[in-house]
Amino acid sequence: MNMQEAAERADAILDATLGAVVPEVQWAHDTWTSGSCTVTRRRTVTTVVSEQRRGSFLGAIERFWKKSGYEITGVNPHKEAPAVFARTSDGFMMSVEVAYKGQVFFDVTTACVEKSDVVEPTAKPNGPAHPYGKIPAPNVHSDFWSATTPVPGPSS
């Protein structure tokens, strides 16, 4: 596998991960990097994920990654900046992290592969295509993800 093929696999992991979020959230491509033998692809969520819904959001990602056969390598339960980290069987590392103003960030870093040129991601964001490094704080309302009530659980 070369770096371009690895970048495409990282993009596919991000596509599938964000596709597993129901209801969907808006996202944009964030800066991506390539090193001597790795590529990191990033996406940033522009939908407001309220503090009350962050645990459910991260739980949905963690369950999807486990179902996909990925190993969960760490969970940060921090109230304001929680995160989940995982690894594929072929060494791709991924994370979903909540940061400033509740903004959710996804990263996938490839395993070390054969050096090659790498092109921009081809997937179209499901919202505005912001310039790299210019993605606004979360500003898209979701009746579900932005709600300030906890996700209802089973009735007792």
Side-chain angles (χ1 to χ4, degrees), residues 60-86:
I61 301 303
E62 183 176 354
R63 285 188 300 279
F64 175 75
W65 284 348
K66 284 178 178 177
K67 182 178 140 198
S68 299
Y70 307 148
E71 174 191 0
I72 303 304
T73 58
V75 175
N76 178 355
H78 190 275
K79 181 174 172 53
E80 293 174 19
V84 178
F85 304 90

Short mmCIF file of all heavy atoms in Angstrom, two decimals, residues 60-86:
data_model
loop_
_atom_site.label_atom_id
_atom_site.label_comp_id
_atom_site.label_asym_id
_atom_site.label_seq_id
_atom_site.Cartn_x
_atom_site.Cartn_y
_atom_site.Cartn_z
N ALA A 60 -21.81 6.20 20.48
CA ALA A 60 -22.19 5.70 19.15
C ALA A 60 -20.94 5.43 18.31
O ALA A 60 -20.86 4.41 17.61
CB ALA A 60 -23.10 6.71 18.46
N ILE A 61 -19.96 6.31 18.40
CA ILE A 61 -18.70 6.12 17.64
C ILE A 61 -17.97 4.89 18.18
O ILE A 61 -17.52 4.04 17.40
CB ILE A 61 -17.81 7.37 17.74
CG1 ILE A 61 -18.52 8.60 17.19
CG2 ILE A 61 -16.46 7.13 17.06
CD1 ILE A 61 -18.99 8.51 15.78
N GLU A 62 -17.85 4.79 19.49
CA GLU A 62 -17.14 3.65 20.09
C GLU A 62 -17.81 2.33 19.69
O GLU A 62 -17.13 1.37 19.31
CB GLU A 62 -17.08 3.80 21.61
CG GLU A 62 -16.29 2.70 22.28
CD GLU A 62 -16.15 2.89 23.78
OE1 GLU A 62 -16.56 3.95 24.33
OE2 GLU A 62 -15.61 1.97 24.42
N ARG A 63 -19.13 2.27 19.77
CA ARG A 63 -19.84 1.04 19.38
C ARG A 63 -19.62 0.71 17.91
O ARG A 63 -19.39 -0.45 17.55
CB ARG A 63 -21.34 1.16 19.68
CG ARG A 63 -21.67 1.05 21.16
CD ARG A 63 -23.17 0.99 21.41
NE ARG A 63 -23.89 2.17 20.93
CZ ARG A 63 -23.96 3.32 21.59
NH1 ARG A 63 -23.36 3.46 22.77
NH2 ARG A 63 -24.64 4.34 21.10
N PHE A 64 -19.64 1.73 17.04
CA PHE A 64 -19.41 1.48 15.62
C PHE A 64 -17.99 0.97 15.38
O PHE A 64 -17.79 0.04 14.60
CB PHE A 64 -19.66 2.75 14.79
CG PHE A 64 -19.31 2.56 13.35
CD1 PHE A 64 -20.13 1.82 12.52
CD2 PHE A 64 -18.12 3.07 12.83
CE1 PHE A 64 -19.79 1.60 11.19
CE2 PHE A 64 -17.77 2.86 11.52
CZ PHE A 64 -18.61 2.13 10.69
N TRP A 65 -17.01 1.58 16.03
CA TRP A 65 -15.64 1.12 15.84
C TRP A 65 -15.46 -0.31 16.32
O TRP A 65 -14.82 -1.12 15.66
CB TRP A 65 -14.66 2.07 16.53
CG TRP A 65 -14.45 3.36 15.78
CD1 TRP A 65 -14.84 3.65 14.50
CD2 TRP A 65 -13.78 4.53 16.24
NE1 TRP A 65 -14.46 4.92 14.15
CE2 TRP A 65 -13.81 5.48 15.20
CE3 TRP A 65 -13.17 4.86 17.44
CZ2 TRP A 65 -13.23 6.74 15.32
CZ3 TRP A 65 -12.60 6.12 17.57
CH2 TRP A 65 -12.63 7.05 16.51
N LYS A 66 -16.03 -0.65 17.47
CA LYS A 66 -15.95 -2.04 17.96
C LYS A 66 -16.60 -3.00 16.98
O LYS A 66 -16.05 -4.06 16.66
CB LYS A 66 -16.61 -2.17 19.34
CG LYS A 66 -15.80 -1.61 20.48
CD LYS A 66 -16.55 -1.76 21.79
CE LYS A 66 -15.77 -1.24 22.97
NZ LYS A 66 -16.55 -1.33 24.22
N LYS A 67 -17.80 -2.63 16.50
CA LYS A 67 -18.53 -3.47 15.54
C LYS A 67 -17.73 -3.65 14.25
O LYS A 67 -17.82 -4.68 13.59
CB LYS A 67 -19.89 -2.81 15.24
CG LYS A 67 -20.78 -3.58 14.31
CD LYS A 67 -22.11 -2.85 14.14
CE LYS A 67 -22.51 -2.94 12.69
NZ LYS A 67 -23.50 -2.00 12.29
N SER A 68 -16.92 -2.64 13.90
CA SER A 68 -16.10 -2.69 12.70
C SER A 68 -14.82 -3.51 12.90
O SER A 68 -14.02 -3.64 11.98
CB SER A 68 -15.74 -1.28 12.25
OG SER A 68 -16.91 -0.55 11.95
N GLY A 69 -14.62 -4.01 14.13
CA GLY A 69 -13.44 -4.82 14.41
C GLY A 69 -12.23 -4.02 14.85
O GLY A 69 -11.12 -4.56 14.93
N TYR A 70 -12.41 -2.75 15.15
CA TYR A 70 -11.29 -1.92 15.60
C TYR A 70 -11.11 -2.09 17.10
O TYR A 70 -12.08 -2.27 17.84
CB TYR A 70 -11.53 -0.44 15.28
CG TYR A 70 -11.86 -0.16 13.83
CD1 TYR A 70 -12.70 0.88 13.48
CD2 TYR A 70 -11.34 -0.93 12.79
CE1 TYR A 70 -13.01 1.16 12.16
CE2 TYR A 70 -11.64 -0.67 11.47
CZ TYR A 70 -12.48 0.38 11.16
OH TYR A 70 -12.78 0.65 9.85
N GLU A 71 -9.87 -2.01 17.54
CA GLU A 71 -9.55 -2.12 18.97
C GLU A 71 -9.65 -0.74 19.61
O GLU A 71 -9.02 0.22 19.13
CB GLU A 71 -8.14 -2.66 19.13
CG GLU A 71 -7.66 -2.68 20.56
CD GLU A 71 -6.16 -2.97 20.68
OE1 GLU A 71 -5.47 -3.15 19.66
OE2 GLU A 71 -5.68 -2.99 21.84
N ILE A 72 -10.42 -0.63 20.67
CA ILE A 72 -10.47 0.64 21.42
C ILE A 72 -9.22 0.67 22.29
O ILE A 72 -9.01 -0.21 23.12
CB ILE A 72 -11.75 0.74 22.28
CG1 ILE A 72 -13.00 0.60 21.41
CG2 ILE A 72 -11.76 2.04 23.08
CD1 ILE A 72 -13.12 1.60 20.27
N THR A 73 -8.36 1.66 22.06
CA THR A 73 -7.07 1.72 22.77
C THR A 73 -7.09 2.68 23.94
O THR A 73 -6.17 2.68 24.75
CB THR A 73 -5.94 2.13 21.80
OG1 THR A 73 -6.27 3.40 21.22
CG2 THR A 73 -5.76 1.08 20.70
N GLY A 74 -8.14 3.52 24.02
CA GLY A 74 -8.22 4.43 25.15
C GLY A 74 -9.51 5.22 25.12
O GLY A 74 -10.10 5.44 24.06
N VAL A 75 -9.94 5.62 26.30
CA VAL A 75 -11.11 6.47 26.46
C VAL A 75 -10.75 7.52 27.49
O VAL A 75 -10.26 7.19 28.58
CB VAL A 75 -12.34 5.65 26.93
CG1 VAL A 75 -13.52 6.57 27.22
CG2 VAL A 75 -12.71 4.59 25.91
N ASN A 76 -10.97 8.78 27.15
CA ASN A 76 -10.76 9.87 28.10
C ASN A 76 -12.15 10.35 28.52
O ASN A 76 -12.86 10.95 27.72
CB ASN A 76 -9.99 11.02 27.44
CG ASN A 76 -9.79 12.19 28.39
OD1 ASN A 76 -10.29 12.19 29.51
ND2 ASN A 76 -9.05 13.18 27.93
N PRO A 77 -12.56 10.10 29.77
CA PRO A 77 -13.90 10.47 30.21
C PRO A 77 -14.03 11.92 30.69
O PRO A 77 -15.04 12.28 31.27
CB PRO A 77 -14.15 9.49 31.37
CG PRO A 77 -12.79 9.29 31.95
CD PRO A 77 -11.84 9.33 30.78
N HIS A 78 -13.03 12.75 30.43
CA HIS A 78 -13.03 14.14 30.89
C HIS A 78 -14.36 14.81 30.55
O HIS A 78 -14.86 14.68 29.44
CB HIS A 78 -11.87 14.90 30.23
CG HIS A 78 -11.65 16.25 30.79
ND1 HIS A 78 -12.34 17.37 30.36
CD2 HIS A 78 -10.79 16.68 31.76
CE1 HIS A 78 -11.92 18.43 31.02
NE2 HIS A 78 -10.99 18.04 31.88
N LYS A 79 -14.95 15.51 31.50
CA LYS A 79 -16.28 16.11 31.32
C LYS A 79 -16.33 17.09 30.14
O LYS A 79 -17.28 17.08 29.37
CB LYS A 79 -16.71 16.81 32.61
CG LYS A 79 -18.09 17.43 32.55
CD LYS A 79 -18.49 17.96 33.91
CE LYS A 79 -19.74 18.77 33.94
NZ LYS A 79 -20.91 18.22 33.38
N GLU A 80 -15.33 17.94 30.01
CA GLU A 80 -15.36 18.97 28.96
C GLU A 80 -14.62 18.56 27.69
O GLU A 80 -14.86 19.14 26.64
CB GLU A 80 -14.79 20.27 29.50
CG GLU A 80 -15.67 20.88 30.57
CD GLU A 80 -15.04 22.11 31.21
OE1 GLU A 80 -14.12 22.69 30.61
OE2 GLU A 80 -15.47 22.47 32.31
N ALA A 81 -13.70 17.61 27.77
CA ALA A 81 -12.91 17.22 26.60
C ALA A 81 -12.78 15.70 26.51
O ALA A 81 -11.68 15.16 26.52
CB ALA A 81 -11.54 17.88 26.66
N PRO A 82 -13.91 15.00 26.40
CA PRO A 82 -13.83 13.54 26.31
C PRO A 82 -13.30 13.10 24.94
O PRO A 82 -13.35 13.87 23.97
CB PRO A 82 -15.29 13.10 26.50
CG PRO A 82 -16.09 14.26 26.00
CD PRO A 82 -15.29 15.48 26.37
N ALA A 83 -12.81 11.87 24.89
CA ALA A 83 -12.25 11.35 23.63
C ALA A 83 -12.27 9.83 23.64
O ALA A 83 -12.31 9.21 24.71
CB ALA A 83 -10.82 11.84 23.46
N VAL A 84 -12.22 9.26 22.43
CA VAL A 84 -12.10 7.82 22.25
C VAL A 84 -11.00 7.60 21.21
O VAL A 84 -10.95 8.31 20.20
CB VAL A 84 -13.43 7.18 21.77
CG1 VAL A 84 -13.26 5.69 21.55
CG2 VAL A 84 -14.55 7.45 22.76
N PHE A 85 -10.14 6.61 21.46
CA PHE A 85 -9.02 6.30 20.58
C PHE A 85 -9.12 4.84 20.16
O PHE A 85 -9.50 3.99 20.97
CB PHE A 85 -7.70 6.55 21.31
CG PHE A 85 -7.57 7.94 21.85
CD1 PHE A 85 -8.01 8.25 23.13
CD2 PHE A 85 -7.06 8.96 21.07
CE1 PHE A 85 -7.94 9.54 23.64
CE2 PHE A 85 -6.97 10.26 21.56
CZ PHE A 85 -7.40 10.54 22.84
N ALA A 86 -8.77 4.56 18.91
CA ALA A 86 -8.89 3.19 18.41
C ALA A 86 -7.79 2.90 17.40
O ALA A 86 -7.11 3.81 16.91
CB ALA A 86 -10.26 2.97 17.79
#
